[in-house]
Each structure stands twice: as C-alpha cells, then as structure tokens.
Amino acid sequence: MATLTKTRIIDAAIAVVDEHGFDGLTMRALAEQLGVTATALYYHYAGREELLAGLVEHQTATLVQAAPAEGAWDERARTLITTMVSELDRQPELAVWIITTQARQPPVLQLHEALLAILIDGGFSPRDAIEAKGILFRYVIGHLVLANAPEGQPWRQLPEHYPLLRATGPAHDTIDRVQLFERGLDTILTGLRPEVPRAGGSPNQWVPDRGVVLGPAPRSWHDG
Amino acid sequence: MATLTKTRIIDAAIAVVDEHGFDGLTMRALAEQLGVTATALYYHYAGREELLAGLVEHQTATLVQAAPAEGAWDERARTLITTMVSELDRQPELAVWIITTQARQPPVLQLHEALLAILIDGGFSPRDAIEAKGILFRYVIGHLVLANAPEGQPWRQLPEHYPLLRATGPAHDTIDRVQLFERGLDTILTGLRPEVPRAGGSPNQWVPDRGVVLGPAPRSWHDG
DNA sequence: ACCTGAACACCGTTCAAGT
DNA sequence: ACCTGAACACCGTTCAAGT
C-alpha cells in the first residue's frame, strides 16, 4: 500500500465525486476509498475546506489558458467565458461550491484577472472594465447556478395558477440552454462597448507593468 | 406555554436566523428557541426542507406584488427585478438557498410568471419571452449569489500575481454594487427589445386566458 | 514522519412511549 | 392530538497513542 500524498488524495476525491456525487465526498468516504482512516487525511490537509480547495485547483488548472491572446476584445471575452462555462458545467455542484465559497480564492481570481486584461486591452477604462467584469460574472454565475438547480416538474405540467408558464411550457421545456446562454452573452457584450474601442496590441496609458498573466497562481493569496 | 403552530415555528425560525445566521437554523436550535424538543417539530413539518419552504413562503409573500400592472414593459420589468433583488438582498443566505434548491417551487414560479406576463405584454413572442426571462434570471441570480459571497481580502491587497486586479483595486473596493447591478440590468433590458414593441394593454393573439396572476400561490405545485 | 483509535460535539430523522 | 426520550446513522475535527 503506497503512502498517502496530496496527489493521491485528490485523485481519490475525484473518484468519490464521480461515484457518489459532490455531497457524497465526505472525509470518511474519501478515507475508505483510500483504505485509510478519516483522521489520516488531516495529516495532509488542514481540513475539508483546504482539501476541496486542492480539488478545485486541480480541476480548474487549465481554465484560464483558454483565453486567446489576440483578436477583438469581445471575441476574446466570449471565448474565455464560454470555455470556462462549458468546463464548469461538467461539475456543476463543484462549480456552485466554488462560486459560493471561493469567490476570492486564486482559481477564481485568475479568471477575474484574465477577463480584466481582455477588457482593458479592448479600451475600457478601469472603472468601466471593473463594471463590465462584474456584470459578465453575474451573468455567468447565474447560469452555472441554474445549471445545477434540480430539474423539477416540466413547465407544461404546472398547475393552472401559472397560466403563462403553462402555455409556454412546451417551448420552455425544449429550449437549448447553451444557445440561450450565448444569446444572453452576446446581448451583454454588445451593450458593453468601451467608449474608445481599440485594436488589441498597443498599451494603455494607465496599465501597469504586468508579467505573464497566465502563469501558475500562488496556492493561496497568503503566498503572494 | 402556548401550543405549537406553524406560524409560531416560522416566527421562531426568523428569530433564530437573526441571531445565529442561516447556518445556525438547525432543528435543535429552533426547538430550543421554542422551549420544545427537536422531534416535536416533525409533528408540524415533515422535515427541515419543508420547514424552510414555509419560511421562504413567509418571507417572499409580498414580492411579486411589486410589479406595476401598467407602463412600458422595460420599466415594469426593471421595477419587478430591482424590488425583488433589494428584498432578497436583506437575507442573502436565504436567497441563495432558494435559488439553489427551490428553483421550481411556487415562490420562484410566481416571479417567473410575473416576469413572463410583463414580457408578453411588451410584445415578445413566446420563445423570445422565455429566452429574455432566462437571461434576466441568470443575471439576477448571479448578483444574489455574489452578494452572499464572503468578502475576502480587499482587491488592492492582492499579491503581485494579479497586477491588473491590484492596480484597479481601489476602484474595485469602492464600487457601488447596486449601481453596478442596475447598469447591467439596463444593458440587458436595452439589448432585449421585442421584435414588435407594443404599448401595454391590447391582448396578444396567442396569449391564453389568465386570471389574476398576482393572487396567492398554491402552497406547492401538488395542490394545483 | 505518518497513521490509528477513541472520543467530542454536532447534524437530521425515526419511533415507541407518554399525556 | 400533541409532545418527549432514546436511539440511529451520520457529519467534521481533535488528540493521545502507536509504529
């Protein structure tokens, strides 16, 4: 029996999530998967929170690199966001956990930084870029949360108290969520034009020196 | 000591949430607040889920009535949404619970129905109305979830690995979230114009007969 | 250094028993 | 009809003890 390592623990955690879902990922279940006592995990991770953070880091490592480095700002933003959403959509429970508890942790901060870079390259002023980023993130987060919501009854079978939902039920039940998401994303991007649109490339006056934005993040903000 | 009723239980639940937060609302804590055993609650509510649903019903009862019955569709939508958000923002933890677990339950369905009515009155086709509703809800939900996210470190104190977030930190930390939300809402509403805009009032061909949309909802969809 | 075993302080929930 | 008490099957976490 090989000795316990962080890598082995995270791999086992992924296996447990695949088998029993995100809620089934308890310290005891994870320990059983590893053939070990639950308390043994505390030697490698300070607690459940830290373990999940490690899992998130592993699952989102390649997310930011999806952002193309060149092109029109709205195309770059669209690519970053749709890639990110399609990746996170595969683990919606994990995505919701990230969103609700890790909003200011490195994996998420990397996405903020990447989107901000795109907006600023596109000619947005700092305030407008922050605002645009906030609006886009709100939309993305809402989508991810809804993707994780329990299916519930079909809209067309609702009680008569909801006549419009009922009448539009068939259309409601068959709508393509990906298409809906992208239509909304387009709507927002179109409405968020910078005052002075610029082609990518030339630097902005107020933009600080920055290194490679896409490099590996520090494990937590304390390291920085 | 008065006998236990659903009303008394819900009132006590509100008191517990005020004192110990949403996470502190356990069956045992609620029982203690009522001077009763935890198991006594199961005589009145089938379980925790049902009890929380009762709490939600109580807290959101007046939400839908904020929608003005007349005026331009976008003004009506804006009023419905901003009122709803400002109400739910006062109990963000509860709001997130509603969103993530009660997405198809009556209190939320009422909001869907109300927004759908506004869009259809505004001239949206069924498909477009559903799509617009989906986009708007995604944005609103994202905002509510972010409002509940842990504050975390100030943006301006982030490590150097996030140069743009750091540089824009002061602006980031002082931004008015309500204003940001409303700017985004305007952006979306502006982008979501119906193909054939109409003044409120005249009926749409395909709109089914419907009674008073704003009446009290059935307690659960099973009742309908 | 790395892991076990027992224990603590919690959860939601069930169910027989009391009044 | 309405509530209690004991118990079940879980949680995350701590800590002394083993090797």
Side-chain angles (χ1 to χ4, degrees):
Chain A
M1 184 63 74
T3 185
L4 228 46
T5 62
K6 292 203 174 193
T7 310
R8 275 193 68 218
I9 292 174
I10 296 300
D11 286 346
I14 292 168
V16 171
V17 170
D18 283 346
E19 252 184 273
H20 305 100
F22 185 73
D23 284 345
L25 180 57
T26 66
M27 300 303 271
R28 284 174 169 88
L30 177 54
E32 191 185 12
Q33 173 83 17
L34 287 158
V36 108
T37 305
T39 51
L41 300 169
Y42 287 84
Y43 186 80
H44 300 273
Y45 285 100
R48 187 171 185 267
E49 188 93 344
E50 197 170 299
L51 196 150
L52 288 178
L55 177 61
V56 168
E57 225 175 295
H58 183 270
Q59 300 280 67
T60 63
T62 63
L63 261 187
V64 183
Q65 299 167 17
E70 308 205 338
W73 73 270
D74 49 346
E75 270 308 321
R76 295 175 66 195
R78 196 193 325 275
T79 303
L80 173 63
I81 289 172
T82 54
T83 311
M84 168 179 137
V85 166
S86 67
E87 279 297 316
L88 290 175
D89 250 347
R90 299 167 56 196
Q91 301 268 352
E93 290 172 314
L94 186 65
V96 168
W97 183 81
I98 296 172
I99 290 163
T100 51
T101 71
Q102 307 285 101
R104 297 260 183 118
Q105 293 307 117
V108 178
L109 288 176
Q110 281 210 278
L111 295 170
H112 279 271
E113 180 79 11
L115 183 54
L116 195 53
I118 289 170
L119 294 169
I120 281 165
D121 282 348
F124 281 83
S125 73
R127 283 215 94 87
D128 288 349
I130 291 170
E131 201 169 82
K133 175 167 73 61
I135 292 167
L136 287 166
F137 261 87
R138 276 161 175 76
Y139 180 67
V140 168
I141 287 170
H143 178 72
L144 290 172
V145 169
L146 273 186
N148 190 41
E151 268 298 318
Q153 284 307 306
W155 294 96
R156 72 193 115 85
Q157 289 178 18
L158 290 176
E160 298 178 9
H161 186 264
Y162 311 99
L164 294 177
L165 288 176
R166 219 148 111 90
T168 59
H172 221 140
D173 287 322
T174 58
I175 204 162
D176 184 335
R177 289 174 177 218
V178 175
Q179 213 170 319
L180 188 154
F181 173 74
E182 287 176 358
R183 293 271 302 253
L185 181 57
D186 281 347
T187 302
I188 295 173
L189 287 173
T190 304
L192 290 180
R193 308 235 78 86
E195 291 187 11
V196 186
R198 303 167 345 100
S202 51
N204 248 357
Q205 177 193 349
W206 63 270
V207 175
D209 285 342
R210 50 181 158 122
V212 182
V213 178
L214 305 180
R219 302 214 138 216
S220 90
W221 73 270
H222 302 282
D223 305 344
Chain B
M1 183 63 73
T3 184
L4 227 47
T5 62
K6 292 203 174 193
T7 311
R8 274 193 69 219
I9 292 174
I10 297 298
D11 287 346
I14 294 168
V16 172
V17 171
D18 284 346
E19 253 184 273
H20 305 99
F22 185 73
D23 284 344
L25 180 58
T26 66
M27 301 303 271
R28 285 174 169 87
L30 178 54
E32 191 185 11
Q33 172 84 17
L34 287 159
V36 107
T37 304
T39 52
L41 300 169
Y42 287 83
Y43 186 79
H44 300 272
Y45 285 100
R48 188 170 183 268
E49 189 92 344
E50 196 170 301
L51 197 151
L52 288 178
L55 177 62
V56 168
E57 226 174 294
H58 184 271
Q59 299 282 67
T60 62
T62 63
L63 261 187
V64 184
Q65 299 166 17
E70 308 204 339
W73 73 270
D74 50 347
E75 270 307 321
R76 294 175 67 196
R78 195 194 325 275
T79 303
L80 173 64
I81 289 172
T82 54
T83 311
M84 168 181 139
V85 166
S86 68
E87 279 297 317
L88 289 175
D89 250 345
R90 300 167 56 195
Q91 301 268 352
E93 290 171 314
L94 185 64
V96 168
W97 183 81
I98 296 172
I99 291 163
T100 51
T101 72
Q102 307 285 101
R104 296 261 182 118
Q105 292 308 115
V108 178
L109 288 176
Q110 282 212 279
L111 295 170
H112 279 271
E113 180 80 10
L115 183 53
L116 195 53
I118 290 170
L119 293 169
I120 281 165
D121 281 349
F124 281 82
S125 74
R127 282 215 94 87
D128 288 349
I130 291 170
E131 201 170 81
K133 175 168 74 62
I135 291 167
L136 287 166
F137 261 85
R138 275 161 175 75
Y139 180 67
V140 167
I141 287 171
H143 178 72
L144 290 171
V145 169
L146 273 186
N148 190 41
E151 269 297 317
Q153 284 305 307
W155 295 95
R156 72 193 116 83
Q157 290 177 19
L158 290 176
E160 297 178 10
H161 186 264
Y162 310 100
L164 293 177
L165 289 175
R166 220 148 112 88
T168 59
H172 222 141
D173 287 322
T174 58
I175 205 162
D176 184 335
R177 288 172 178 222
V178 175
Q179 214 170 318
L180 188 154
F181 173 75
E182 287 176 359
R183 294 269 302 252
L185 182 57
D186 281 347
T187 302
I188 295 174
L189 286 173
T190 304
L192 291 179
R193 307 236 80 86
E195 291 187 12
V196 185
R198 304 169 342 103
S202 51
N204 248 357
Q205 176 192 350
W206 62 271
V207 174
D209 286 341
R210 49 180 159 123
V212 182
V213 178
L214 305 181
R219 303 214 136 217
S220 91
W221 74 269
H222 301 283
D223 306 346

